[in-house]
Amino acid sequence: MSDTNRIGLHEASASQLAEKLNELLANYQIFYMNVRGYHWNVKGPQFFQLHEKFEELYTDLLTKVDEVAERILTLGHQPVHAYSDYVEISRIKEAKNVSDGKTCVEGVLAGYQVLIELQREILSLASDADDEGTAAQAGDYIREQEKTVWMLASYLA
């Protein structure tokens, strides 16, 4: 009996990657809801600009939620799908009652910092496992999000 899964990865590596991807999924879900809340509740002189930007960001986050879950399935494992598990697993904490534009943007920056850190961990694990699919996904996300962080930090400057 082979110790590789259907896509040719060693099962132990695939299992480790799936676990770390489930952690990423939990963080994406909490972050998605935080950004959605910023979109709904932001107030102040930059309302129109931030309201639109937050919608753009949460739409992208929702796409990535699905892509991460599908990658977990591709590895032969099950994505976590209970919100109570997301709250327990996530490094990103729920943002409540935030409406100040600057505070919202700072929350977005903090969320991206966590995602980028996790994705770098996944990129390293995927490289060690010769998992080009997961490595490419993580690398693409990091590249996109680093640019977003730069732009949002410039906005706050």
Side-chain angles (χ1 to χ4, degrees):
M1 186 168 220
S2 174
D3 69 337
T4 59
N5 65 12
R6 290 184 180 170
I7 61 172
L9 297 176
H10 290 280
E11 185 49 50
S13 296
S15 181
Q16 185 180 24
L17 280 162
E19 183 177 335
K20 190 57 90 170
L21 284 165
N22 264 315
E23 183 181 349
L24 181 63
L25 179 62
N27 280 275
Y28 265 108
Q29 287 283 38
I30 299 296
F31 189 43
Y32 164 79
M33 287 307 301
N34 286 352
V35 176
R36 190 86 194 223
Y38 300 152
H39 168 77
W40 289 331
N41 295 304
V42 69
K43 292 178 176 48
Q46 291 90 21
F47 168 80
F48 290 106
Q49 187 178 17
L50 291 175
H51 183 75
E52 185 177 316
K53 185 62 175 178
F54 295 149
E55 182 173 6
E56 174 189 319
L57 295 176
Y58 77 66
T59 300
D60 179 66
L61 292 168
L62 187 58
T63 298
K64 285 178 172 55
V65 162
D66 193 53
E67 291 171 351
V68 170
E70 288 176 352
R71 188 65 197 167
I72 295 165
L73 290 162
T74 300
L75 292 171
H77 293 268
Q78 184 174 5
V80 174
H81 59 275
Y83 208 79
S84 58
D85 290 333
Y86 297 146
V87 171
E88 183 179 323
I89 296 168
S90 181
R91 296 180 196 177
I92 297 172
K93 299 305 172 202
E94 293 176 306
K96 298 178 183 179
N97 304 315
V98 178
S99 61
D100 172 68
K102 182 177 185 277
T103 305
C104 291
V105 173
E106 289 168 345
V108 171
L109 284 169
Y112 277 125
Q113 184 176 7
V114 171
L115 292 180
I116 290 168
E117 180 181 309
L118 270 169
Q119 289 161 167
R120 285 190 178 125
E121 292 171 18
I122 290 166
L123 183 60
S124 178
L125 287 172
S127 295
D128 291 345
D130 293 326
D131 179 0
E132 177 61 30
T134 302
Q137 183 180 40
D140 287 348
Y141 290 0
I142 291 166
R143 179 185 43 77
E144 291 171 23
Q145 291 163 0
E146 286 175 339
K147 184 175 181 180
T148 301
V149 165
W150 160 65
M151 291 180 167
L152 291 172
S154 295
Y155 174 85
L156 289 179

